[in-house]
Amino acid sequence: MFNPQLTVFVRVADLGSFNKAAENLYISPTAVMKQVNALEKHLDLTLFVRGRRGVTLTPEGQVIYRYARQMFEQSAKAVQEARAAADFAATTFCVGTSILNPCKPFMDLWDRLSGQFPGYRLHIVPFEDDHQGILNEIGALGVKFDFLIGACDSRQWLDRCRFLPLGRYHHCIAVPRDHPLAARGKLTIRDLYGQTLMMVRRGDSPSVDRVRDEIERHPAIRIEDTSQFYDLEVFNRCAQTRQPLMTLDCWAEVHPSLVTLPVDWDFTIPYGLLYQLDPIPDVARFVELAQALTRP
């Protein structure tokens, strides 16, 4: 990791002799002297006092020697830590988690499959639910994360990752706790008449588009488009404006001011395991085993 001249300089200083350093390094004394001379010329410093009985460090040489030793120690520590990090990465699955994309379904899989990966550990990596940054997080599969769990039939997501369905979430409606609809145990679509329903705009999710097709058959329901991907600000807006929000049953606890209500319809969206487009062998093996568990 260092200029070889610095290594030769330290060896000469330790042994007090060009000849001994040459023997130790398995090079000629002439090569040792050339390396030291080149270093002195580069630094514009005299590092050694040459004498008949060997060499000793000059005051400036002692300073360079002290810092060189520190650099060697730090280098050895860096290499040791790097190797430990490589060993950790080779036997660790990194799993992303957020408020809207919690890793709990992965943990259920891990409980059943961990015996197939002896020595492996999990590292949970939190990330923010930012509607502007979520595509970057999906793109980080294979770098920042090995796996994510999410509700997904987004075309933009699926351009960036592979997806193994594990189940389905139901489309529901969220309203503030003091909203007139909050006391209902279950809504019908007619309960939304006269309301402005917040929901994802058309075009990215076939599942959401099917719900939207049904809503648009009822002109008494107005639609307000939200951002393409939800974050907490969408739930905050629901609480502030008191407008119903299209949501999922898995997000019932996301915002404490909102109540999530089932609707008398059968609209769902798949959720499952997201992983990189070109998975490494152990990730691919985990997906294969998980797929076997989910087969009917």
Side-chain angles (χ1 to χ4, degrees):
M1 294 178 66
F2 299 104
N3 186 319
Q5 296 168 358
L6 196 61
T7 302
V8 171
F9 159 72
V10 169
R11 196 63 52 86
V12 172
D14 286 340
L15 298 174
S17 165
F18 289 129
N19 288 334
K20 291 180 180 179
E23 292 177 6
N24 185 267
L25 294 169
Y26 300 100
I27 58 177
S28 70
T30 301
V32 170
M33 286 186 283
K34 284 183 177 179
Q35 294 275 27
V36 171
N37 290 340
L39 181 61
E40 289 182 322
K41 183 178 180 181
H42 174 71
L43 298 176
D44 194 22
L45 293 170
T46 300
L47 303 177
F48 291 109
V49 176
R50 278 81 167 171
R52 292 181 180 178
R53 297 184 178 180
V55 296
T56 57
L57 288 167
T58 62
E60 56 268 40
Q62 291 174 14
V63 173
I64 298 298
Y65 177 82
R66 184 171 70 252
Y67 279 97
R69 272 295 180 195
Q70 292 175 5
M71 290 169 61
F72 288 171
E73 290 172 2
Q74 290 298 313
S75 174
K77 183 178 180 182
V79 171
Q80 182 181 17
E81 290 185 6
R83 286 173 176 162
D87 290 342
F88 179 82
T91 57
T92 300
F93 285 138
C94 292
V95 185
T97 192
S98 69
I99 293 176
L100 295 182
N101 299 280
C103 66
K104 174 63 167 60
F106 182 89
M107 302 308 297
D108 295 339
L109 280 176
W110 182 246
D111 286 344
R112 301 175 67 182
L113 296 177
S114 58
Q116 303 292 324
F117 297 87
Y120 256 81
R121 296 158 291 184
L122 296 185
H123 182 58
I124 306 303
V125 183
F127 67 96
E128 293 294 328
D129 293 301
D130 179 351
H131 75 273
Q132 293 181 328
I134 187 62
L135 292 179
N136 290 332
E137 301 291 4
I138 301 299
L141 281 161
V143 179
K144 183 178 178 181
F145 321 103
D146 292 305
F147 300 105
L148 294 174
I149 293 287
C152 178
D153 67 349
S154 161
R155 296 184 177 94
Q156 295 182 72
W157 284 29
L158 294 174
D159 283 343
R160 292 164 170 81
C161 69
R162 293 190 181 190
F163 177 65
L164 173 65
L166 298 176
R168 303 191 73 87
Y169 292 139
H170 289 84
H171 287 281
C172 299
I173 299 295
V175 294
R177 291 187 178 278
D178 60 351
H179 192 281
L181 294 178
R184 306 284 182 90
K186 188 173 188 178
L187 301 180
T188 68
I189 199 165
R190 288 182 173 273
D191 290 325
L192 298 175
Y193 284 10
Q195 303 287 333
T196 297
L197 177 64
M198 298 167 57
M199 66 180 303
V200 170
R201 63 178 178 269
R202 181 184 293 278
D204 184 58
S205 165
S207 296
V208 173
D209 288 351
R210 284 192 287 273
V211 183
R212 195 173 184 115
D213 289 341
E214 177 62 23
I215 296 295
E216 289 177 350
R217 292 169 47 127
H218 300 265
I221 305 173
R222 296 180 296 276
I223 296 177
E224 177 183 314
D225 289 341
T226 68
S227 56
Q228 194 72 71
F229 309 113
Y230 280 7
D231 57 17
L232 282 179
E233 284 308 307
V234 174
F235 293 86
N236 284 335
R237 176 164 173 76
C238 174
Q240 292 161 5
T241 64
R242 298 174 54 77
Q243 295 175 180
L245 172 69
M246 182 72 64
T247 187
L248 300 174
D249 51 0
C250 62
W251 294 337
E253 305 300 324
V254 164
H255 198 295
S257 297
L258 302 179
V259 174
T260 298
L261 301 168
V263 185
D264 187 18
W265 60 30
D266 192 29
F267 292 116
T268 62
I269 188 170
Y271 76 88
L273 195 64
L274 284 68
Y275 58 103
Q276 68 195 95
L277 291 170
D278 186 19
I280 62 175
D282 280 350
V283 168
R285 187 162 69 92
F286 184 91
V287 172
E288 182 179 355
L289 292 170
Q291 189 172 29
L293 287 179
T294 59
R295 290 192 188 112

